Amino acid sequence: MSTSQRIEHHVAILGATGSIGTATVQVIEHLSRTDPTASWTLYGISGHHNTDLLTEIANRHRPNRVVVSSLEADEAKAVSDAAFPAGTRVGCGPDELIDLAGDPRVDILVAAIVGRAGLESTLAGVRAGKRVAIANKETLVVAGGLVRRLAAESGAELLPVDSEHAAIFQCLAGGGTPRRIILTASGGPFRDWSLEKMREATIEQALAHPTWQMGKKISIDSATMMNKALEIIEARWLFDCPADQIEVMIHPQSIIHSMVEMIDGSTIAQLSPPDMRLPIQHALTYPHCLPGDTPTLDLSRTACWTLEPVDVERFPAISLGFEVARVGGSAGAVVNAANEQAVGLFLEGRMRFTDIVTACRIALESHNHESNPSSDRLLELDLWARAEVRRWQLRSNAS
Ligand code: NAD
Ligand code: MG
């Protein structure tokens, strides 16, 4: 195929300096070297604090646009004059993030910001009808119903990056009627710990994930298993699947990324070594399957892959996840915000590890459920839940 016939992909990565963001940059570099059918251009990138890494990526790829989402305009100007390539438009603040997400020249948006901070820009990409590769699961937890509605109106394609959801997507690709979705979970660093021992868990212990290298927030979420709770809610919205058709199994080896049981009794699973570049490449290149750059399973050696039920007494986040997936409405925004606030307090050394999920439960139970909140109302509830967790933490520290 001649170069003139090659399809051009203009990709924007929101959160390019994070764990998913940098893995996406690697995938784009790999595809640019190896894909004979298309050209892959990094059109835009954003980062929040790590401007050194952002400038490094910018100088390697010379994107049209860079957004430093944490900076004010004059600070951004100083950074841009000093460090970014000539010809790159440098913007700052959340409005520029939203503008980049909806830029008409972007055809694939990778939503890789962590937390609710990624909501508005992800929604902007969905509204603009782009292919949105969603790593930012919090957007679906907070506003899954809204995302689905907007995507139906705009024709946006939602491609999961979360490894479990990418696996389910692939399991469903062959057709058939699913009966249930089985999300696998590594169990995190405290899979075998008693509740008493978890009460004393330190920040370092909670961050030490046994199988995945990830950002801090999702690493703590994996230790509490709130990550799996968020993924139950994410699956509910991405696959329009009722909560009672979702199950969670502990699979410490992180090889089986999830499974789908069909109504005829067969179960389809997706397997690979744990490496996020695989689901990222899948989301970028779907429906095509192109040669990858990640390790493959060594099936010449004896392997032991285990599956076991999750202990909801030790990991109460799981019940919380099912409850939120069942009731929908305002519950996702409240639990997500409570969790972000509580994880922040834990990382500052101001909250006990086991209090993270307790704080989420308390916020959920003290809010008046709304079945169809507007996007403005979701943001109000987010702020309310964060304040509720801070109040609860102050009261419990005082008593
Ligand atoms: P990370 O902390 O490594 O990176 C987060 C990115 O978001 C960085 O680029 C940072 O600059 C940016 N950011 C942080 N705060 C921001 C703000 N207020 N406004 C704008 N940008 C901000 O996180 P990560 O591990 O890459 O995770 C990103 C998302 O992907 C999360 O939603 C996470 O749940 C999801 N995810 C991550 C993995 C993984 O393996 N890391 C796997 C599945 C899903
Ligand atoms: Mg996951």
Side-chain angles (χ1 to χ4, degrees):
M1 189 177 276
S2 76
T3 343
S4 57
Q5 290 171 305
R6 292 168 90 206
I7 303 160
E8 284 183 35
H9 294 295
H10 290 100
V11 183
I13 309 175
L14 306 184
T17 54
S19 162
I20 292 292
T22 49
T24 307
V25 172
Q26 286 177 33
V27 171
I28 289 173
E29 287 168 356
H30 163 71
L31 290 173
S32 336
R33 279 193 306 270
T34 57
D35 183 358
T37 63
S39 73
W40 292 87
T41 304
L42 198 50
Y43 175 83
I45 51 174
S46 88
H48 204 58
H49 291 301
N50 193 346
T51 44
D52 286 348
L53 181 54
L54 199 63
T55 50
E56 190 191 311
I57 300 169
N59 283 301
R60 220 166 51 240
H61 284 268
R62 310 187 83 77
N64 294 51
R65 297 185 63 174
V66 171
V67 177
V68 189
S69 47
S70 63
L71 291 181
E72 297 302 325
D74 46 349
E75 287 179 84
K77 173 121 186 25
V79 174
S80 72
D81 287 350
F84 289 107
T88 294
R89 168 179 157 190
V90 182
C92 62
D95 289 347
E96 275 289 311
L97 215 47
I98 293 168
D99 192 68
L100 172 58
D103 187 314
R105 290 193 60 199
V106 170
D107 47 40
I108 305 179
L109 180 73
V110 181
I113 290 174
V114 60
R116 197 216 66 76
L119 176 72
E120 287 88 349
S121 50
T122 307
L123 288 179
V126 176
R127 274 198 188 92
K130 305 201 180 294
R131 167 170 295 198
V132 184
I134 298 197
N136 178 234
K137 64 189 88 182
E138 293 89 347
T139 285
L140 290 161
V141 172
V142 173
L146 179 63
V147 171
R148 283 187 67 85
R149 266 200 312 283
L150 292 174
E153 281 164 23
S154 69
E157 276 182 294
L158 305 177
L159 270 298
V161 167
D162 216 348
S163 55
E164 296 76 1
H165 305 73
I168 294 161
F169 189 93
Q170 290 172 76
C171 293
L172 292 171
T177 309
R179 180 155 58 199
R180 57 184 186 134
I181 280 173
I182 302 132
L183 288 168
T184 53
S186 71
F190 304 146
R191 179 171 56 89
D192 296 326
W193 286 33
S194 68
L195 256 180
E196 291 66 40
K197 197 172 168 196
M198 273 191 256
R199 248 172 231 133
E200 306 307 325
T202 65
I203 298 170
E204 290 67 32
Q205 288 168 327
L207 285 173
H209 197 278
T211 49
W212 294 98
Q213 290 290 319
M214 307 179 286
K216 278 191 181 176
K217 192 258 177 184
I218 186 175
S219 298
I220 302 299
D221 287 349
S222 299
T224 56
M225 289 201 68
M226 186 55 86
N227 183 48
K228 212 49 56 181
L230 301 180
E231 290 183 356
I232 293 166
I233 306 162
E234 183 184 9
R236 185 262 168 269
W237 292 116
L238 270 179
F239 304 109
D240 196 17
C241 176
D244 62 7
Q245 287 174 16
I246 303 174
E247 281 183 34
V248 174
M249 296 291 292
I250 299 290
H251 169 57
Q253 298 81 18
S254 298
I255 297 291
I256 305 170
H257 296 297
S258 276
M259 298 179 271
V260 175
E261 184 187 283
M262 299 292 173
I263 51 168
D264 64 2
S266 62
T267 298
I268 302 177
Q270 187 266 354
L271 286 69
S272 75
D275 190 320
M276 288 308 293
R277 289 174 296 172
L278 192 85
I280 292 168
Q281 179 166 313
H282 176 267
L284 296 182
T285 60
Y286 177 81
H288 304 293
C289 177
L290 299 179
D293 197 24
T294 55
T296 51
L297 289 177
D298 181 357
L299 296 173
S300 65
R301 304 165 90 187
T302 308
C304 177
W305 300 330
T306 57
L307 290 162
E308 58 192 81
V310 60
D311 178 351
V312 293
E313 297 293 319
R314 286 186 303 120
F315 294 104
I318 297 297
S319 315
L320 204 57
F322 278 116
E323 244 173 271
V324 175
R326 212 166 286 128
V327 300
S330 53
V334 167
V335 164
N336 179 68
N339 180 53
E340 286 189 26
Q341 182 67 69
V343 169
L345 290 168
F346 172 71
L347 286 171
E348 287 165 16
R350 290 161 63 203
M351 185 178 270
R352 245 175 222 272
F353 178 76
T354 42
D355 282 349
I356 298 174
V357 177
T358 309
C360 295
R361 161 69 61 200
I362 283 169
L364 182 68
E365 287 180 0
S366 39
H367 107 283
N368 292 319
H369 184 260
E370 296 171 35
S371 50
N372 198 14
S374 66
S375 52
D376 287 347
R377 184 71 188 130
L378 289 173
L379 296 185
E380 282 169 20
L381 285 163
D382 174 282
L383 294 176
W384 171 84
R386 286 170 202 261
E388 186 69 7
V389 169
R390 287 194 298 272
R391 281 192 290 272
W392 178 75
Q393 184 256 344
L394 286 175
R395 279 200 306 274
S396 17
N397 278 7
S399 58

